[in-house]
Amino acid sequence: MTLENQKKMSVLKIFYIIVICSLSLSVCSCKTERQKDIEKLVFLLNNTTEFDTSQAMWDNRHQMTPEGIHKEISSIDTTEFISYKGAVLQTKDKKEYFWVRGKYQVMLAVLCDEDQLIQFTDKRYSPRLRFTAFVALMVTKSKSLEKILLENYQDTTAISMFNIDERSYYCFGSELLCYAQQYASHDIISKQDSIRNDSLALFTPSTAQYAFTKNLLYNITPKPSYYQRIKELYEKHHINQALRAIARYRKPSDRILIEQGLCAYQNLDKSKKPDFEADYSDITYNALTAVELWPDRLFQPYLRSIRDYELQSHRHNREVRFEQLFSTVLAYPDPWAYHFVSETLQLPMQKRDQYYEDENASDYLVNCFYCSGDAPLKPEYRDLLKKYPPYYSYDLNELLERKAK
Protein backbone atom coordinates (compact mmCIF):
# COMPACT_ATOMS: atom_id res chain seq x y z
CA MET A 1 0.00 0.00 0.00
CA THR A 2 1.38 3.36 -1.03
CA LEU A 3 1.94 6.19 1.41
CA GLU A 4 -0.88 8.15 -0.25
CA ASN A 5 -3.34 5.28 0.20
CA GLN A 6 -2.30 4.93 3.82
CA LYS A 7 -3.08 8.62 4.37
CA LYS A 8 -6.51 8.19 2.75
CA MET A 9 -7.28 5.21 4.99
CA SER A 10 -6.24 7.17 8.05
CA VAL A 11 -8.52 10.05 7.06
CA LEU A 12 -11.44 7.63 6.54
CA LYS A 13 -10.84 6.01 9.92
CA ILE A 14 -10.84 9.39 11.61
CA PHE A 15 -14.05 10.30 9.75
CA TYR A 16 -15.77 7.07 10.82
CA ILE A 17 -14.66 7.59 14.40
CA ILE A 18 -16.09 11.11 14.37
CA VAL A 19 -19.39 9.87 12.90
CA ILE A 20 -19.66 7.05 15.43
CA CYS A 21 -18.87 9.41 18.31
CA SER A 22 -21.44 11.90 17.05
CA LEU A 23 -24.10 9.18 16.81
CA SER A 24 -23.20 7.94 20.27
CA LEU A 25 -23.45 11.41 21.70
CA SER A 26 -26.79 11.88 19.95
CA VAL A 27 -28.11 8.63 21.39
CA CYS A 28 -26.86 9.53 24.85
CA SER A 29 -28.43 12.95 24.51
CA CYS A 30 -31.77 11.39 23.53
CA LYS A 31 -31.62 9.03 26.47
CA THR A 32 -30.84 11.86 28.82
CA GLU A 33 -33.63 13.96 27.34
CA ARG A 34 -36.11 11.10 27.60
CA GLN A 35 -35.06 10.36 31.16
CA LYS A 36 -35.48 13.99 32.16
CA ASP A 37 -38.99 13.97 30.68
CA ILE A 38 -39.82 10.81 32.66
CA GLU A 39 -38.49 12.40 35.84
CA LYS A 40 -40.70 15.45 35.31
CA LEU A 41 -43.76 13.30 34.71
CA VAL A 42 -42.97 11.21 37.78
CA PHE A 43 -42.70 14.40 39.83
CA LEU A 44 -46.03 15.72 38.56
CA LEU A 45 -47.90 12.44 39.05
CA ASN A 46 -46.21 11.57 42.33
CA ASN A 47 -47.11 14.89 43.94
CA THR A 48 -50.77 15.09 42.93
CA THR A 49 -53.56 12.79 44.01
CA GLU A 50 -56.28 12.64 41.34
CA PHE A 51 -56.25 9.93 38.70
CA ASP A 52 -58.05 11.01 35.52
CA THR A 53 -60.29 8.13 34.43
CA SER A 54 -60.94 9.34 30.87
CA GLN A 55 -60.48 6.36 28.55
CA ALA A 56 -60.24 8.53 25.42
CA MET A 57 -56.72 9.62 26.32
CA TRP A 58 -55.47 6.04 26.45
CA ASP A 59 -57.09 5.32 23.09
CA ASN A 60 -55.11 8.21 21.57
CA ARG A 61 -51.75 7.15 23.01
CA HIS A 62 -50.47 5.97 19.60
CA GLN A 63 -50.56 9.58 18.41
CA MET A 64 -47.97 10.58 21.00
CA THR A 65 -44.24 10.51 20.26
CA PRO A 66 -41.25 11.09 22.56
CA GLU A 67 -40.39 14.17 20.50
CA GLY A 68 -43.88 15.61 20.84
CA ILE A 69 -43.97 14.85 24.54
CA HIS A 70 -40.63 16.57 25.07
CA LYS A 71 -41.79 19.65 23.20
CA GLU A 72 -44.88 19.92 25.41
CA ILE A 73 -43.26 19.47 28.82
CA SER A 74 -39.76 20.82 28.25
CA SER A 75 -40.73 24.23 29.60
CA ILE A 76 -41.95 22.86 32.93
CA ASP A 77 -39.66 23.77 35.78
CA THR A 78 -40.52 21.45 38.65
CA THR A 79 -38.45 23.50 41.09
CA GLU A 80 -41.05 26.27 40.87
CA PHE A 81 -43.78 24.30 42.63
CA ILE A 82 -44.13 24.37 46.39
CA SER A 83 -47.57 22.97 47.25
CA TYR A 84 -49.97 20.36 45.91
CA LYS A 85 -53.68 19.80 46.10
CA GLY A 86 -55.72 17.34 44.08
CA ALA A 87 -54.50 17.79 40.52
CA VAL A 88 -53.03 21.26 41.06
CA LEU A 89 -49.48 22.42 41.69
CA GLN A 90 -49.00 25.86 43.18
CA THR A 91 -46.03 28.04 42.19
CA LYS A 92 -43.78 29.98 44.55
CA ASP A 93 -45.55 33.27 43.87
CA LYS A 94 -48.84 31.60 44.91
CA LYS A 95 -50.64 33.17 41.97
CA GLU A 96 -50.29 30.63 39.20
CA TYR A 97 -51.63 27.11 39.14
CA PHE A 98 -50.56 24.29 36.92
CA TRP A 99 -53.22 21.70 36.21
CA VAL A 100 -51.72 18.23 35.93
CA ARG A 101 -53.92 16.83 33.20
CA GLY A 102 -54.68 13.17 32.62
CA LYS A 103 -52.68 13.39 29.41
CA TYR A 104 -49.51 13.18 31.49
CA GLN A 105 -50.57 9.75 32.69
CA VAL A 106 -50.54 8.55 29.09
CA MET A 107 -47.25 10.34 28.37
CA LEU A 108 -45.58 8.36 31.13
CA ALA A 109 -46.86 5.13 29.59
CA VAL A 110 -45.46 6.12 26.18
CA LEU A 111 -41.99 7.02 27.49
CA CYS A 112 -41.49 4.14 29.96
CA ASP A 113 -40.65 0.54 29.23
CA GLU A 114 -42.29 -2.34 31.12
CA ASP A 115 -39.57 -2.59 33.78
CA GLN A 116 -39.87 1.10 34.58
CA LEU A 117 -43.65 0.90 34.87
CA ILE A 118 -43.40 -2.11 37.17
CA GLN A 119 -40.99 -0.11 39.31
CA PHE A 120 -43.51 2.73 39.62
CA THR A 121 -46.15 0.39 41.09
CA ASP A 122 -44.03 0.17 44.25
CA LYS A 123 -45.67 1.44 47.44
CA ARG A 124 -43.08 4.16 47.96
CA TYR A 125 -44.77 6.15 45.18
CA SER A 126 -48.09 8.00 45.38
CA PRO A 127 -51.36 6.20 44.61
CA ARG A 128 -51.81 8.23 41.44
CA LEU A 129 -48.42 7.32 40.02
CA ARG A 130 -48.83 3.68 41.02
CA PHE A 131 -52.26 3.49 39.45
CA THR A 132 -51.03 5.21 36.28
CA ALA A 133 -48.29 2.60 35.95
CA PHE A 134 -50.76 -0.25 36.56
CA VAL A 135 -53.21 0.97 33.90
CA ALA A 136 -50.33 1.47 31.46
CA LEU A 137 -49.25 -2.14 32.04
CA MET A 138 -52.83 -3.24 31.58
CA VAL A 139 -53.11 -1.37 28.27
CA THR A 140 -49.97 -3.11 27.01
CA LYS A 141 -51.20 -6.51 28.33
CA SER A 142 -48.26 -7.04 30.62
CA LYS A 143 -47.83 -10.55 32.04
CA SER A 144 -46.95 -9.00 35.41
CA LEU A 145 -50.43 -7.63 36.13
CA GLU A 146 -51.75 -10.46 38.25
CA LYS A 147 -48.59 -10.53 40.39
CA ILE A 148 -48.86 -6.76 40.98
CA LEU A 149 -52.56 -7.14 41.76
CA LEU A 150 -51.96 -9.87 44.35
CA GLU A 151 -49.29 -7.74 46.03
CA ASN A 152 -51.55 -4.68 46.27
CA TYR A 153 -55.22 -5.71 46.38
CA GLN A 154 -55.41 -5.26 50.18
CA ASP A 155 -54.03 -1.70 50.01
CA THR A 156 -56.69 0.55 51.54
CA THR A 157 -54.87 3.81 50.76
CA ALA A 158 -57.36 6.36 49.39
CA ILE A 159 -57.15 7.35 45.74
CA SER A 160 -59.18 10.11 44.11
CA MET A 161 -60.75 9.13 40.76
CA PHE A 162 -61.66 12.13 38.62
CA ASN A 163 -63.68 12.35 35.41
CA ILE A 164 -64.73 15.69 33.89
CA ASP A 165 -66.53 17.16 36.90
CA GLU A 166 -67.03 14.11 39.11
CA ARG A 167 -64.64 13.15 41.88
CA SER A 168 -64.89 10.05 44.06
CA TYR A 169 -62.57 8.46 46.61
CA TYR A 170 -61.91 4.73 46.70
CA CYS A 171 -59.46 2.29 48.21
CA PHE A 172 -56.43 1.73 45.99
CA GLY A 173 -56.79 -2.06 46.07
CA SER A 174 -60.47 -1.83 45.20
CA GLU A 175 -59.76 0.15 42.05
CA LEU A 176 -56.99 -2.26 41.01
CA LEU A 177 -59.49 -5.11 41.22
CA CYS A 178 -62.15 -3.10 39.42
CA TYR A 179 -59.94 -2.19 36.47
CA ALA A 180 -58.36 -5.63 36.18
CA GLN A 181 -61.69 -7.47 36.29
CA GLN A 182 -63.20 -5.14 33.69
CA TYR A 183 -60.64 -6.44 31.22
CA ALA A 184 -60.82 -10.12 32.16
CA SER A 185 -62.39 -10.85 28.77
CA HIS A 186 -59.60 -9.08 26.84
CA ASP A 187 -56.87 -11.69 27.45
CA ILE A 188 -55.28 -9.41 30.04
CA ILE A 189 -56.43 -11.28 33.14
CA SER A 190 -57.13 -15.00 32.62
CA LYS A 191 -60.51 -16.47 33.48
CA GLN A 192 -58.93 -18.53 36.25
CA ASP A 193 -57.25 -15.46 37.75
CA SER A 194 -60.49 -13.51 37.44
CA ILE A 195 -62.40 -16.13 39.45
CA ARG A 196 -59.64 -16.11 42.08
CA ASN A 197 -59.73 -12.31 42.30
CA ASP A 198 -63.48 -12.33 42.94
CA SER A 199 -63.04 -14.92 45.69
CA LEU A 200 -60.24 -12.93 47.28
CA ALA A 201 -62.39 -9.80 47.36
CA LEU A 202 -65.30 -11.74 48.82
CA PHE A 203 -63.46 -13.65 51.55
CA THR A 204 -60.63 -11.30 52.59
CA PRO A 205 -61.63 -9.40 55.77
CA SER A 206 -59.87 -6.17 54.78
CA THR A 207 -61.74 -5.93 51.47
CA ALA A 208 -65.28 -6.21 52.85
CA GLN A 209 -65.94 -2.47 52.53
CA TYR A 210 -64.45 -2.15 49.03
CA ALA A 211 -66.63 -0.58 46.34
CA PHE A 212 -65.49 -3.49 44.16
CA THR A 213 -66.80 -6.03 46.70
CA LYS A 214 -70.14 -4.25 46.98
CA ASN A 215 -70.54 -4.17 43.21
CA LEU A 216 -69.53 -7.83 43.05
CA LEU A 217 -72.26 -8.70 45.55
CA TYR A 218 -74.78 -6.80 43.45
CA ASN A 219 -74.07 -8.97 40.39
CA ILE A 220 -72.70 -12.20 41.85
CA THR A 221 -73.65 -15.68 40.62
CA PRO A 222 -75.22 -17.49 43.63
CA LYS A 223 -72.74 -20.34 44.17
CA PRO A 224 -73.55 -22.56 47.18
CA SER A 225 -70.02 -22.03 48.53
CA TYR A 226 -70.63 -18.26 48.71
CA TYR A 227 -73.86 -18.30 50.69
CA GLN A 228 -72.54 -18.29 54.28
CA ARG A 229 -69.95 -15.62 53.48
CA ILE A 230 -72.57 -13.40 51.86
CA LYS A 231 -74.82 -13.75 54.92
CA GLU A 232 -71.85 -12.84 57.13
CA LEU A 233 -71.10 -9.74 55.05
CA TYR A 234 -74.68 -8.60 55.51
CA GLU A 235 -75.26 -9.47 59.17
CA LYS A 236 -71.78 -8.89 60.62
CA HIS A 237 -70.21 -6.29 58.32
CA HIS A 238 -73.47 -4.48 57.42
CA ILE A 239 -72.80 -4.54 53.67
CA ASN A 240 -76.33 -3.82 52.47
CA GLN A 241 -75.58 -4.80 48.86
CA ALA A 242 -75.31 -8.38 50.16
CA LEU A 243 -79.10 -8.39 50.65
CA ARG A 244 -79.60 -8.54 46.88
CA ALA A 245 -77.15 -11.44 46.69
CA ILE A 246 -79.02 -13.26 49.47
CA ALA A 247 -82.27 -12.91 47.52
CA ARG A 248 -80.75 -14.84 44.60
CA TYR A 249 -80.79 -17.99 46.74
CA ARG A 250 -84.54 -17.61 47.51
CA LYS A 251 -84.34 -19.31 50.89
CA PRO A 252 -87.66 -18.91 52.79
CA SER A 253 -85.77 -18.26 56.03
CA ASP A 254 -84.24 -15.12 54.48
CA ARG A 255 -87.58 -13.42 53.83
CA ILE A 256 -87.41 -11.81 57.26
CA LEU A 257 -84.14 -10.06 56.35
CA ILE A 258 -85.71 -8.49 53.26
CA GLU A 259 -88.84 -7.51 55.18
CA GLN A 260 -86.72 -5.78 57.81
CA GLY A 261 -84.85 -3.90 55.09
CA LEU A 262 -88.11 -2.79 53.46
CA CYS A 263 -89.29 -1.40 56.80
CA ALA A 264 -86.10 0.51 57.64
CA TYR A 265 -86.61 3.60 55.43
CA GLN A 266 -88.07 6.00 57.99
CA ASN A 267 -85.39 5.47 60.64
CA LEU A 268 -82.67 5.74 58.00
CA ASP A 269 -83.98 9.03 56.66
CA LYS A 270 -84.19 10.57 60.13
CA SER A 271 -80.58 9.79 60.95
CA LYS A 272 -78.83 10.45 57.66
CA LYS A 273 -77.95 13.57 55.73
CA PRO A 274 -78.97 13.66 52.04
CA ASP A 275 -76.24 11.98 50.03
CA PHE A 276 -76.79 10.77 46.47
CA GLU A 277 -74.02 8.18 46.60
CA ALA A 278 -75.08 6.93 50.03
CA ASP A 279 -78.58 6.19 48.74
CA TYR A 280 -77.19 3.21 46.85
CA SER A 281 -76.00 1.79 50.17
CA ASP A 282 -79.39 2.49 51.77
CA ILE A 283 -80.72 -0.77 53.23
CA THR A 284 -84.21 -0.08 51.89
CA TYR A 285 -82.90 0.62 48.39
CA ASN A 286 -81.03 -2.68 48.46
CA ALA A 287 -84.06 -4.49 49.87
CA LEU A 288 -86.00 -3.20 46.85
CA THR A 289 -83.35 -4.57 44.50
CA ALA A 290 -83.62 -7.89 46.37
CA VAL A 291 -87.39 -8.03 45.80
CA GLU A 292 -86.78 -7.27 42.12
CA LEU A 293 -84.93 -10.60 41.96
CA TRP A 294 -87.42 -12.35 44.24
CA PRO A 295 -90.90 -10.86 43.59
CA ASP A 296 -92.73 -12.71 46.33
CA ARG A 297 -96.31 -11.65 47.05
CA LEU A 298 -95.52 -11.39 50.75
CA PHE A 299 -93.46 -8.27 50.00
CA GLN A 300 -96.26 -6.37 48.24
CA PRO A 301 -97.68 -4.60 51.33
CA TYR A 302 -94.22 -3.24 52.13
CA LEU A 303 -93.90 -1.82 48.63
CA ARG A 304 -97.13 0.10 49.12
CA SER A 305 -95.87 1.52 52.41
CA ILE A 306 -92.66 2.71 50.78
CA ARG A 307 -94.65 4.22 47.91
CA ASP A 308 -96.92 6.16 50.27
CA TYR A 309 -93.95 7.39 52.28
CA GLU A 310 -92.00 8.57 49.25
CA LEU A 311 -95.01 10.39 47.77
CA GLN A 312 -95.08 12.61 50.85
CA SER A 313 -91.35 12.75 51.42
CA HIS A 314 -89.23 15.89 51.22
CA ARG A 315 -86.04 13.85 50.78
CA HIS A 316 -83.76 15.64 48.36
CA ASN A 317 -82.72 12.43 46.59
CA ARG A 318 -85.91 10.44 46.80
CA GLU A 319 -85.76 9.63 43.06
CA VAL A 320 -83.08 7.00 43.68
CA ARG A 321 -85.39 4.92 45.84
CA PHE A 322 -88.56 5.79 43.94
CA GLU A 323 -87.20 4.71 40.55
CA GLN A 324 -86.02 1.44 42.07
CA LEU A 325 -89.50 0.99 43.57
CA PHE A 326 -91.00 1.09 40.07
CA SER A 327 -88.38 -1.35 38.76
CA THR A 328 -89.19 -3.70 41.62
CA VAL A 329 -92.96 -3.53 41.09
CA LEU A 330 -92.58 -4.19 37.37
CA ALA A 331 -90.75 -7.43 38.17
CA TYR A 332 -94.05 -8.93 39.35
CA PRO A 333 -95.55 -10.93 36.47
CA ASP A 334 -99.20 -10.47 37.47
CA PRO A 335 -101.83 -7.68 37.02
CA TRP A 336 -100.99 -6.41 40.49
CA ALA A 337 -98.01 -4.52 39.07
CA TYR A 338 -100.10 -2.65 36.51
CA HIS A 339 -102.72 -1.67 39.10
CA PHE A 340 -99.98 -0.49 41.47
CA VAL A 341 -98.42 1.74 38.81
CA SER A 342 -101.76 3.04 37.58
CA GLU A 343 -102.83 3.91 41.10
CA THR A 344 -99.50 5.56 41.91
CA LEU A 345 -99.60 7.86 38.89
CA GLN A 346 -102.96 9.21 40.03
CA LEU A 347 -101.77 10.08 43.53
CA PRO A 348 -100.49 13.57 44.43
CA MET A 349 -96.82 13.99 45.24
CA GLN A 350 -95.45 16.30 47.92
CA LYS A 351 -93.31 19.03 46.36
CA ARG A 352 -89.78 19.03 47.74
CA ASP A 353 -88.94 22.67 47.04
CA GLN A 354 -89.38 25.40 44.43
CA TYR A 355 -87.10 23.62 41.97
CA TYR A 356 -89.32 20.52 41.95
CA GLU A 357 -92.73 22.17 42.01
CA ASP A 358 -93.97 20.39 38.87
CA GLU A 359 -92.54 16.90 39.38
CA ASN A 360 -94.80 13.87 39.54
CA ALA A 361 -94.52 10.10 39.88
CA SER A 362 -94.53 9.69 36.12
CA ASP A 363 -91.12 11.43 35.97
CA TYR A 364 -89.64 8.56 37.97
CA LEU A 365 -91.51 5.89 36.02
CA VAL A 366 -90.13 7.26 32.75
CA ASN A 367 -86.60 7.24 34.13
CA CYS A 368 -87.17 3.69 35.33
CA PHE A 369 -88.11 2.61 31.79
CA TYR A 370 -85.18 4.51 30.31
CA CYS A 371 -82.76 2.64 32.55
CA SER A 372 -84.26 -0.73 31.65
CA GLY A 373 -82.64 -0.81 28.22
CA ASP A 374 -84.45 -1.58 24.98
CA ALA A 375 -86.88 -4.21 26.29
CA PRO A 376 -90.36 -3.75 24.72
CA LEU A 377 -92.88 -1.86 26.79
CA LYS A 378 -96.30 -3.44 27.26
CA PRO A 379 -99.12 -1.53 25.55
CA GLU A 380 -100.91 -0.86 28.83
CA TYR A 381 -97.88 0.97 30.21
CA ARG A 382 -97.50 2.95 27.02
CA ASP A 383 -101.11 4.09 27.43
CA LEU A 384 -100.49 5.01 31.07
CA LEU A 385 -97.55 7.23 30.16
CA LYS A 386 -99.63 9.00 27.55
CA LYS A 387 -102.43 9.49 30.07
CA TYR A 388 -100.11 10.68 32.85
CA PRO A 389 -97.19 12.28 31.01
CA PRO A 390 -94.09 13.29 32.99
CA TYR A 391 -93.23 16.91 33.56
CA TYR A 392 -90.01 16.35 31.61
CA SER A 393 -92.00 15.04 28.65
CA TYR A 394 -89.64 16.20 25.88
CA ASP A 395 -88.11 12.69 25.70
CA LEU A 396 -91.29 10.65 26.14
CA ASN A 397 -91.95 10.13 22.42
CA GLU A 398 -88.43 8.86 21.88
CA LEU A 399 -88.86 6.41 24.75
CA LEU A 400 -92.18 5.10 23.46
CA GLU A 401 -90.75 4.68 19.99
CA ARG A 402 -87.68 2.85 21.25
CA LYS A 403 -89.75 0.48 23.38
CA ALA A 404 -92.51 -0.22 20.88
CA LYS A 405 -93.01 -3.90 20.12
Side-chain angles (χ1 to χ4, degrees), residues 41 106-107 118 150 156 168 188 238:
L41 290 170
V106 185
M107 286 181 173
I118 292 173
L150 293 176
T156 57
S168 301
I188 298 175
H238 310 292

mmCIF file of all heavy atoms in Angstrom, residues 41 106-107 118 150 156 168 188 238:
data_model
loop_
_atom_site.group_PDB
_atom_site.id
_atom_site.type_symbol
_atom_site.label_atom_id
_atom_site.label_comp_id
_atom_site.label_asym_id
_atom_site.label_seq_id
_atom_site.Cartn_x
_atom_site.Cartn_y
_atom_site.Cartn_z
ATOM 1 N N LEU A 41 -42.433 13.905 34.638
ATOM 2 C CA LEU A 41 -43.759 13.301 34.714
ATOM 3 C C LEU A 41 -43.940 12.572 36.043
ATOM 4 O O LEU A 41 -45.016 12.625 36.648
ATOM 5 C CB LEU A 41 -43.967 12.344 33.544
ATOM 6 C CG LEU A 41 -44.104 13.003 32.167
ATOM 7 C CD1 LEU A 41 -44.058 11.954 31.061
ATOM 8 C CD2 LEU A 41 -45.396 13.808 32.072
ATOM 9 N N VAL A 106 -50.790 9.281 30.330
ATOM 10 C CA VAL A 106 -50.542 8.547 29.093
ATOM 11 C C VAL A 106 -49.111 8.792 28.613
ATOM 12 O O VAL A 106 -48.447 7.886 28.091
ATOM 13 C CB VAL A 106 -51.557 8.952 28.007
ATOM 14 C CG1 VAL A 106 -51.379 8.090 26.758
ATOM 15 C CG2 VAL A 106 -52.978 8.834 28.537
ATOM 16 N N MET A 107 -48.626 10.026 28.773
ATOM 17 C CA MET A 107 -47.252 10.337 28.370
ATOM 18 C C MET A 107 -46.251 9.437 29.082
ATOM 19 O O MET A 107 -45.285 8.947 28.483
ATOM 20 C CB MET A 107 -46.936 11.798 28.680
ATOM 21 C CG MET A 107 -47.598 12.800 27.744
ATOM 22 S SD MET A 107 -47.131 14.490 28.203
ATOM 23 C CE MET A 107 -47.870 15.406 26.842
ATOM 24 N N ILE A 118 -43.301 -1.201 36.029
ATOM 25 C CA ILE A 118 -43.403 -2.108 37.171
ATOM 26 C C ILE A 118 -42.774 -1.472 38.402
ATOM 27 O O ILE A 118 -43.306 -1.564 39.518
ATOM 28 C CB ILE A 118 -42.735 -3.458 36.849
ATOM 29 C CG1 ILE A 118 -43.547 -4.203 35.777
ATOM 30 C CG2 ILE A 118 -42.616 -4.315 38.113
ATOM 31 C CD1 ILE A 118 -42.895 -5.467 35.271
ATOM 32 N N LEU A 150 -51.980 -9.073 43.136
ATOM 33 C CA LEU A 150 -51.957 -9.870 44.352
ATOM 34 C C LEU A 150 -51.127 -9.207 45.447
ATOM 35 O O LEU A 150 -51.396 -9.387 46.637
ATOM 36 C CB LEU A 150 -51.408 -11.268 44.048
ATOM 37 C CG LEU A 150 -52.291 -12.141 43.154
ATOM 38 C CD1 LEU A 150 -51.605 -13.463 42.846
ATOM 39 C CD2 LEU A 150 -53.650 -12.384 43.803
ATOM 40 N N THR A 156 -55.507 -0.296 51.303
ATOM 41 C CA THR A 156 -56.695 0.546 51.537
ATOM 42 C C THR A 156 -56.379 2.042 51.461
ATOM 43 O O THR A 156 -57.217 2.866 51.832
ATOM 44 C CB THR A 156 -57.300 0.231 52.910
ATOM 45 O OG1 THR A 156 -56.304 0.420 53.918
ATOM 46 C CG2 THR A 156 -57.812 -1.201 52.970
ATOM 47 N N SER A 168 -64.517 11.029 43.046
ATOM 48 C CA SER A 168 -64.887 10.046 44.056
ATOM 49 C C SER A 168 -63.621 9.452 44.655
ATOM 50 O O SER A 168 -62.594 9.338 43.983
ATOM 51 C CB SER A 168 -65.741 8.922 43.444
ATOM 52 O OG SER A 168 -66.920 9.439 42.871
ATOM 53 N N ILE A 188 -56.214 -10.120 29.172
ATOM 54 C CA ILE A 188 -55.276 -9.411 30.037
ATOM 55 C C ILE A 188 -55.190 -10.137 31.379
ATOM 56 O O ILE A 188 -54.106 -10.406 31.884
ATOM 57 C CB ILE A 188 -55.711 -7.946 30.233
ATOM 58 C CG1 ILE A 188 -55.722 -7.227 28.869
ATOM 59 C CG2 ILE A 188 -54.788 -7.232 31.200
ATOM 60 C CD1 ILE A 188 -56.251 -5.819 28.934
ATOM 61 N N HIS A 238 -72.459 -5.464 57.810
ATOM 62 C CA HIS A 238 -73.474 -4.478 57.416
ATOM 63 C C HIS A 238 -73.270 -3.965 55.986
ATOM 64 O O HIS A 238 -73.457 -2.781 55.714
ATOM 65 C CB HIS A 238 -73.488 -3.308 58.405
ATOM 66 C CG HIS A 238 -73.563 -3.742 59.841
ATOM 67 N ND1 HIS A 238 -74.682 -4.354 60.368
ATOM 68 C CD2 HIS A 238 -72.648 -3.681 60.851
ATOM 69 C CE1 HIS A 238 -74.470 -4.654 61.643
ATOM 70 N NE2 HIS A 238 -73.243 -4.257 61.958
#
